[in-house]
Amino acid sequence: MDSSLGSSELVLNPDGSIYHLNLLPEDIATTIITVGDPQRVQAVSKYFDSIEVKKSKREFVTHTGHYSGKRISVVSTGIGTDNIDIVFNELDALVNIDFTTRQIKTKKTQLNFIRIGTTGSIQPDIPIDTFLISSTGIGFDNLMHFYDCGHIKNMELEQALGTYLDWGKYNIHPYAVDVDKYLCSVFDSNRIRLGATGTNSGFYGPQGRVLRLTPAIKDFNEKLAGFSHGNVRITNLEMETAAIYGIAKLHGHRAVSLNAILANRATGEFSKQGHKTIDELIQYALEHIAESQLV
């Protein structure tokens, strides 16, 4: 029986590159920094000692180069968990599927994903312009419900949150996936906090913002901020982390999400030095990669 992947499943461009990312297997490193904003790719790669690959298609920009002896790729994902599904499945395909035979490789390659992103705190004691590692990604979108993923989720936390929120009546069924412990240890220090990060499918209603539309859940942020389970509380909201943790872990990869707190939803503050804070987080991440055992 032919086990090769059909052309409608593994979609390649005429030059043999993966469909959306426009990349060939040799274009990426095993350590990959992901950013949402395509313009932030250059903000990372400007610190590289050398750059060997620059490719782009749509919102997906990739630079691969070297920093302090480490080969690193930086890839922009765009916004949202739908884009994470595309980017992370295609990055895995680049290393774990033979594009010539269209066969899944017997020997798998493990990738290390480091998200550098922005976020808003929902806890008043987490000030703007601080850094936070997502100890768990809690998804309020539906991406992981399309995958067989029970074995990689934090079911105890997920069930506790589901009972507390009781949001099934809104068709919201949150899932929870923990950070990779090794990558968390690489970036942990007294400079950075830990907290559970909520991931949602939008920026306005799905994060409790009100402009002209009335939200279905009027106390969205307050309800999330009031949750605790053991020593876990939800500290911040953004739009990619839970999907990154889920898809990466399903493929056997490692992932960590590093967040720059640019807004505090509880106090109504927004950073006046956002670019500086993000740049400091980029340098923090690169320095820790350089000092790590990542290759």
Side-chain angles (χ1 to χ4, degrees), residues 171-182:
N171 294 315
I172 298 174
H173 304 278
Y175 60 88
V177 186
D178 292 334
V179 67
D180 178 82
K181 290 182 179 179
Y182 171 70

Side-chain angles (χ1 to χ4, degrees), residues 82-94:
D82 52 342
N83 276 20
I84 296 304
D85 185 59
I86 292 170
V87 173
F88 277 63
N89 276 299
E90 292 196 358
L91 288 171
D92 174 78
L94 285 165

Side-chain angles (χ1 to χ4, degrees), residues 191-241:
R191 173 81 192 274
I192 195 164
R193 298 166 180 254
L194 287 171
T197 295
T199 296
N200 220 329
S201 54
F203 184 77
Y204 291 98
Q207 291 189 39
R209 287 183 172 88
V210 180
L211 297 182
R212 293 202 320 115
L213 300 182
T214 303
I217 306 172
K218 294 180 173 56
D219 61 344
F220 186 85
N221 288 346
E222 293 79 7
K223 186 74 171 177
L224 293 181
F227 172 74
S228 65
H229 181 70
N231 62 352
V232 176
R233 61 175 182 160
I234 301 173
T235 51
N236 60 303
L237 294 175
E238 50 73 79
M239 296 177 63
E240 291 90 31
T241 294

Side-chain angles (χ1 to χ4, degrees), residues 101-132:
T101 65
R102 293 179 168 270
Q103 301 275 346
I104 297 173
K105 295 178 181 178
T106 302
K107 183 179 180 180
K108 304 298 190 298
T109 297
Q110 185 181 62
L111 300 173
N112 298 294
F113 293 109
I114 300 101
R115 172 189 179 268
I116 298 177
T118 60
T119 188
S121 170
I122 60 172
Q123 301 288 353
D125 63 326
I126 300 180
I128 56 174
D129 299 315
T130 56
F131 302 160
L132 182 141

Side-chain angles (χ1 to χ4, degrees), residues 20 31 36 39 56 100 146 172 181 193 195 206 223 237 255 261 268:
H20 295 92
T31 296
Q39 295 184 10
S56 64
T100 302
F146 288 92
I172 298 174
K181 290 182 179 179
R193 298 166 180 254
K223 186 74 171 177
L237 294 175
I261 307 289

